[in-house]
């Protein structure tokens, strides 16, 4: 069985997240997602997610392409998480291109292109101003 692992906050789930997860899942047989804890998000992005860690986990677990989730508490522990889950492939969006090459000694590292035109941060801005979110393609 080929195991894929990926990481992210996945706050206010949007089509960019879903496409990334579906493409990641298609690379193997089993998809594990490390979901950033609320505190890690504060450290990483300077703000708490809108949805709690518990709710983000519940939402991701409801997706048919996601087999397993766990909470990522620390960016420094990525190597340990990859090994604990026996992952064969680490998938990251290409906003992280090159940043995880150090793990290519323990698994394959793949960067997938991001979906243009949407991010949780933009989404929050759009909601506040009542604007619709339109994403092309897919
Ligand atoms: N992602 C993607 N396309 C987008 C947005 C995100 O493929 N338009 C991918 C990221 O590359 C990452 C995963 O989805 O692999 C989770 O990203 P996350 O940081 O949680 O989502 P963003 O929408 O980028 O959040 P933010 O605006 O808060 O940075």
């Amino acid at each position: 069985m080929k195991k894929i692992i990926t990481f992210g906050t996945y706050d206010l789930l949007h089509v960019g997240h879903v496409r990334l997860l579906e493409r990641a899942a298609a690379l193997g047989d089993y998809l594990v997602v490390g979901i950033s804890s609320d505190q890690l998000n504060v450290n990483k992005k300077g703000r708490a997610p809108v949805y709690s860690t518990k709710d983000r986990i519940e939402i991701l677990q409801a997706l048919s392409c996601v087999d397993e989730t766990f909470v990522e508490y620390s960016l420094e522990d990525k190597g340990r998480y990859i090994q604990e889950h026996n992952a064969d492939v680490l998938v990251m969006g290409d906003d992280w291109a090159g940043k995880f090459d150090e793990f290519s000694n323990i698994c394959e590292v793949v960067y997938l292109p991001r979906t243009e035109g949407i991010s949780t941060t933009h989404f929050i801005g759009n909601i506040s101003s009542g604007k619709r979110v339109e994403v092309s393609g897919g």
Side-chain angles (χ1 to χ4, degrees), residues 89-105:
V89 186
L90 167 65
V91 171
M92 298 298 295
D94 64 1
D95 42 330
W96 296 98
K99 303 232 169 66
F100 293 96
D101 291 355
E102 64 187 282
F103 300 117
S104 52
N105 58 338

Side-chain angles (χ1 to χ4, degrees), residues 8-9 11 16 25 39 43 64 67 82 91 104 106 121 127 134:
T9 308
D11 190 23
Q39 188 55 51
N43 303 343
S64 57
D67 295 292
I82 293 167
V91 171
S104 52
I106 52 171
T121 308
I127 291 168
E134 301 277 5

